[in-house]
Amino acid sequence: MYSEKVMDHFNNPRNVGELENPSGVGTVGNAKCGDIMRIYLDIDDNGVIQEAKFKTFGCGAAVATSSMATELVKGKTVCQALEITNKAVMEALDGLPPAKVHCSLLAEEAIHAALWDYAEKNNLTIEGLKKPVEDIEEKLED
């Protein structure tokens, strides 16, 4: 059902926890399944993500996608991080079952929400970045 990579990131999640003074924090959730994901980013003066952490309340796939998302954003510029899609998260995990695709959407949206928070704190406009949705179900309906 789950790939080896999904199981590895679930059993041995990377980057669990909080950052003390994050540059941006993004929290998203899915009311239907109850998953809640929070991603913390530390972004340097050059707009490069130096550190990423997460806290997730949810299923194994939610933990795995959070873990992979934090791995994918580290070392990327803000603009590169904005380009990380749910598809990229799923591909990096060697796929997800159809019923768990929403977890990869949560990961994408949590990254975007953290970038939005960073942009607001620093009065920046990031091309292509939209205000995050409150509930991922809204995104699924689009």
Side-chain angles (χ1 to χ4, degrees):
M1 181 165 177
Y2 289 114
S3 72
E4 283 185 36
K5 281 190 183 176
V6 170
M7 293 308 297
D8 182 41
H9 276 267
F10 169 65
N11 289 315
N12 307 292
R14 284 66 152 176
N15 311 307
V16 176
E18 300 177 35
L19 292 175
E20 196 156 315
N21 293 304
S23 306
V25 180
T27 304
V28 295
N30 182 319
K32 274 192 181 164
C33 70
D35 292 337
I36 300 170
M37 190 178 291
R38 179 172 290 155
I39 288 186
Y40 303 81
L41 300 177
D42 177 30
I43 303 169
D44 70 15
D45 293 339
N46 296 317
V48 177
I49 299 168
Q50 295 299 314
E51 187 65 63
K53 297 269 187 190
F54 79 92
K55 286 185 122 180
T56 293
F57 176 84
C59 65
V63 171
T65 56
S66 302
S67 175
M68 182 55 78
T70 58
E71 288 287 284
L72 291 173
V73 299
K74 284 200 282 187
K76 301 270 193 299
T77 65
V78 166
C79 292
Q80 290 169 330
L82 184 59
E83 294 173 6
I84 296 172
T85 63
N86 74 299
K87 186 177 178 194
V89 172
M90 284 195 303
E91 286 175 359
L93 288 168
D94 293 337
L96 286 172
K100 297 298 179 177
V101 169
H102 69 275
C103 295
S104 64
L105 278 168
L106 277 174
E108 176 185 332
E109 290 301 314
I111 292 167
H112 289 190
L115 292 171
W116 180 269
D117 184 50
Y118 163 73
E120 282 203 320
K121 286 177 179 174
N122 293 283
N123 296 317
L124 299 172
T125 300
I126 300 170
E127 179 103 17
L129 182 62
K130 297 180 180 130
K131 186 172 181 169
V133 294
E134 292 296 313
D135 187 320
I136 199 69
E137 286 302 310
E138 295 173 32
K139 178 84 172 179
L140 292 172
E141 291 168 6
D142 288 348

